[in-house]
Amino acid sequence: MTDNAIEIKNATVKLEGFEALHDFSLTIKRGEHWFILGPNGAGKTTLVKLMLGLVWPLYGATISILGNRYGACDIFEIRKKVAWASPFLNTWAADNSYRRWTALEVVLSGLDSTVGFFREAEPKELDKAHEALEMIQGGSIADRYFDRLSSGEQVKAIIARALISDPELVILDETCVYLDLTSREILLKAIDALAARKNSPTMVFITQRIEEITKSFDRGLILKDGRVYKQGLREEILTAENLHETFGMPINLIEAPNGRIWPVLK
């Protein structure tokens, strides 16, 4: 078993003629917790799709996830070991053209890496689904139809879906985007609890908001215009100078007692 959970070398991705990622390289070891920060259009969504095997790089790149090189493995089997939580999943889960799913069924679908649950759940699986919802204080939505939930409530179900499967790799893709202040803090607390577990999974937290990056994520990179702008330890990356260059605005940084960093415009 390789020590690397994610290994991307020299990946350039073009989408409809537009170069979304340019010569991108990244190595994340198993058990590490990374953040990926960047403004809109930086290439964050394309990077997630690259890691999931939903887009392919130009010839000459190497993509390996959990020791499996894409192009020489069964990607569908790899995805069963990867938990992806993203607001983009809301649209898929809310599609009721086949049938309507309850929030609990959406959570259970994380066991099979599907969107929607297509079999009878075992009692222990139901218990696990309820536990995942309770972890983020979402127990009250279990029996409600997913397409009738608010955007924030849908995100809670999607997060619980990611937590239920005991994944080896967790990709948290803009997970706080629809959450109000209280729900966001509940979610970040649950993420920190997952990161603090013994033998916690490798975690990648993708965001455009600096203040969402908790101290659980001690390594990271800044993505800008499809390229790695900075990469390294948290304290090396989250500086006023780097963030000014990234977002194009003069910023002062205030560090809270819990280690979270909050930007304030000069």
Side-chain angles (χ1 to χ4, degrees):
M1 179 183 296
T2 178
D3 290 336
N4 296 332
I6 298 173
E7 191 171 3
I8 302 173
K9 295 181 180 178
N10 309 118
T12 295
V13 179
K14 285 191 174 182
L15 302 174
E16 298 180 350
F18 172 74
E19 192 172 271
L21 286 178
H22 176 80
D23 197 23
F24 181 91
S25 295
L26 172 66
T27 299
I28 297 179
K29 294 186 179 300
R30 289 179 183 266
E32 290 184 342
H33 304 145
W34 281 62
F35 65 85
I36 296 175
L37 176 68
N40 289 334
K44 301 188 299 297
T45 298
T46 301
L47 176 57
V48 171
K49 291 179 178 179
L50 185 67
M51 291 190 287
L52 294 172
L54 297 174
V55 298
W56 289 86
L58 299 182
Y59 179 79
T62 300
I63 314 295
S64 294
I65 303 296
L66 301 174
N68 300 272
R69 181 171 176 173
Y70 283 1
C73 67
D74 185 341
I75 290 181
F76 294 101
E77 288 300 314
I78 305 308
R79 287 179 188 159
K80 293 179 181 179
K81 303 175 184 179
V82 178
W84 173 40
S86 169
F88 297 111
L89 284 170
N90 292 24
T91 302
W92 297 348
D95 182 1
N96 57 18
S97 56
Y98 175 74
R99 56 159 288 190
R100 297 178 78 189
W101 309 105
T102 65
L104 188 66
E105 288 170 324
V106 170
V107 176
L108 285 164
S109 73
L111 295 170
D112 296 339
S113 296
T114 57
V115 179
F117 200 58
F118 299 92
R119 59 180 176 84
E120 288 293 323
E122 299 178 8
K124 63 181 180 181
E125 293 176 329
L126 289 169
D127 290 342
K128 201 169 185 179
H130 283 291
E131 288 171 6
L133 280 168
E134 289 296 340
M135 183 183 295
I136 54 171
Q137 298 186 21
S140 63
I141 68 174
D143 296 324
R144 293 170 58 193
Y145 284 117
F146 186 87
D147 62 342
R148 287 290 183 262
L149 300 177
S150 69
S151 296
E153 290 170 332
Q154 288 180 348
V155 170
K156 286 186 176 183
I158 294 297
I159 293 294
R161 176 185 179 274
L163 299 177
I164 193 176
S165 60
D166 296 324
E168 295 182 34
L169 170 62
V170 176
I171 300 173
L172 300 162
D173 180 16
E174 301 277 12
T175 48
C176 298
V177 68
Y178 293 133
L179 299 181
D180 60 28
L181 180 61
T182 301
S183 296
R184 182 182 72 171
E185 295 308 310
I186 290 170
L187 173 58
L188 293 177
K189 184 177 180 180
I191 290 171
D192 281 346
L194 178 62
R197 288 183 186 176
K198 184 179 180 180
N199 299 321
S200 69
T202 307
M203 298 173 69
V204 181
F205 185 84
I206 299 167
T207 185
Q208 57 182 305
R209 295 175 181 167
I210 305 153
E211 67 274 12
E212 294 175 357
I213 304 171
T214 70
K215 289 197 73 174
S216 294
F217 299 91
D218 56 357
R219 293 173 174 82
L221 68 82
I222 294 176
L223 195 60
K224 182 180 178 183
D225 298 326
R227 303 167 186 257
V228 176
Y229 171 63
K230 295 288 183 179
Q231 181 177 169
L233 296 175
R234 173 190 177 91
E235 58 269 22
E236 299 170 343
I237 303 303
L238 298 181
T239 68
E241 180 182 356
N242 287 343
L243 297 174
H244 181 186
E245 290 298 321
T246 300
F247 293 98
M249 304 182 75
I251 295 173
N252 284 327
L253 300 179
I254 300 174
E255 184 171 353
N258 62 4
R260 299 259 293 278
I261 295 174
W262 297 78
V264 178
L265 293 181
K266 289 184 179 180

